[in-house]
Amino acid sequence: MATTSDIRNGLCIRYNHDIFKITEFLHVKPGKGPAFVRTKLKSVTTGKVIDNTFSAGHKIDEVRVETHKFQFLYNDGEFYHFMNQEDYTQIRLTEAALDMPGLLKEGDVVTVLINTEDNEPLSVEMPPHVVMEVTQTEPGVKGNTATNATKPATVETGHEVNVPLFINEGDKIKIETEKGTYKERIKE
């Protein structure tokens, strides 16, 4: 059994008859009253995100997980198929297990968390950034650059990202996978 002092991003816990992954947390010590931990928990089975507050010292049921490198093979509409890099076994996951399925290209290598109790895959951790090519966007309007203006752009996987006005079709951009936001343009 772990306590609230062991809480960290990516920790998998059993809570309310489900397994959740901690995506955000904040230790709070108010001037008056006991300390507590605010968390955002994402269900690894449904993908639903809930906010929860644990009092300091609260016992949490940690789920032991292993991480393995898997290569994304393809999406058949219902499942996402992955292949283990070590023994070439294949698994399939639902879209709910993925944080940003729109930023996943065929051949990408991701980290899959696997529950050690029953060898079931829990969730997929993407790399912090991915580089994508812009396939469709409107041209920027000249003279509209006084503010931080953005426009929608579609990348090669079909995912839509807001980008600055100077980004054109064919440009390669770096996207932060945690939030799905534009980071920078990649020069080649």
Side-chain angles (χ1 to χ4, degrees), residues 4 31 52 54 124 154 175 180 187:
T4 53
N52 190 46
F54 295 104
V124 174
T154 306
I175 301 170
K187 298 277 189 193

Side-chain angles (χ1 to χ4, degrees), residues 53-65:
T53 302
F54 295 104
S55 56
H58 181 85
K59 301 274 188 229
I60 54 177
D61 190 7
E62 185 177 357
V63 176
R64 289 189 40 89
V65 295

Side-chain angles (χ1 to χ4, degrees), residues 95-118:
E95 191 170 326
L98 305 169
D99 291 333
M100 280 286 177
L103 296 178
L104 205 53
K105 288 192 300 192
E106 290 181 7
D108 283 353
V109 176
V110 295
T111 303
V112 177
L113 298 176
I114 297 178
N115 187 347
T116 56
E117 294 170 11
D118 56 9

Side-chain angles (χ1 to χ4, degrees), residues 65-70 86 111-114 116 125:
V65 295
E66 290 179 351
T67 59
H68 293 283
K69 295 286 185 193
F70 279 78
E86 296 158 10
T111 303
V112 177
L113 298 176
I114 297 178
T116 56
E125 290 182 354

Side-chain angles (χ1 to χ4, degrees), residues 86-151:
E86 296 158 10
D87 61 7
Y88 305 111
T89 56
Q90 292 187 19
I91 60 169
R92 59 185 194 166
L93 297 170
T94 61
E95 191 170 326
L98 305 169
D99 291 333
M100 280 286 177
L103 296 178
L104 205 53
K105 288 192 300 192
E106 290 181 7
D108 283 353
V109 176
V110 295
T111 303
V112 177
L113 298 176
I114 297 178
N115 187 347
T116 56
E117 294 170 11
D118 56 9
N119 283 335
E120 282 297 310
L122 296 175
S123 70
V124 174
E125 290 182 354
M126 300 271 295
H129 301 97
V130 292
V131 175
M132 298 266 179
E133 184 177 332
V134 176
T135 56
Q136 192 275 322
T137 188
E138 297 294 321
V141 179
K142 191 169 186 154
N144 193 6
T145 56
T147 61
N148 265 353
T150 61
K151 61 183 179 180

